């Protein structure tokens, strides 16, 4: 699974808890997209999470 190149957001682990309070392992994946981004040397393709795209931390090429 890819990580965000800007904020390093990736996979989180924890427990899924049922109504009867039984626990089973769960994995939450970040919403990471492959995007072409403007850099100082031109454009580059990198993995960026949607929260970074929405907040304007990254400018699309």
């Amino acid at each position: 699974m890819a990580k965000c190149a800007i904020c390093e957001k990736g996979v989180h682990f924890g427990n899924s808890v049922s109504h009867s309070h039984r626990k089973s392992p769960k994995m939450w994946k970040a919403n990471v997209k492959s995007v072409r981004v403007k850099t100082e040397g031109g454009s580059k393709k990198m993995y960026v999470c949607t929260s970074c795209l929405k907040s304007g931390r990254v400018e699309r090429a």
Side-chain angles (χ1 to χ4, degrees):
M1 183 64 199
K3 277 190 173 181
C4 178
I6 308 302
C7 66
E8 299 294 322
K9 191 184 288 185
V11 180
H12 294 92
F13 298 97
N15 285 323
S16 181
V17 182
S18 69
H19 179 70
S20 63
H21 215 68
R22 292 175 65 117
K23 297 179 179 82
S24 58
K26 182 166 171 63
M27 181 170 64
W28 288 271
K29 294 180 181 175
N31 194 1
V32 177
K33 306 290 183 187
S34 178
V35 177
R36 190 165 290 281
V37 176
K38 283 185 184 175
T39 57
E40 52 281 337
S43 65
K44 186 178 178 183
K45 201 169 189 181
M46 54 176 54
Y47 290 106
V48 180
C49 68
T50 53
S51 59
C52 287
L53 286 171
K54 190 175 178 182
S55 65
R57 293 185 197 169
V58 174
E59 189 177 348
R60 283 187 154 176

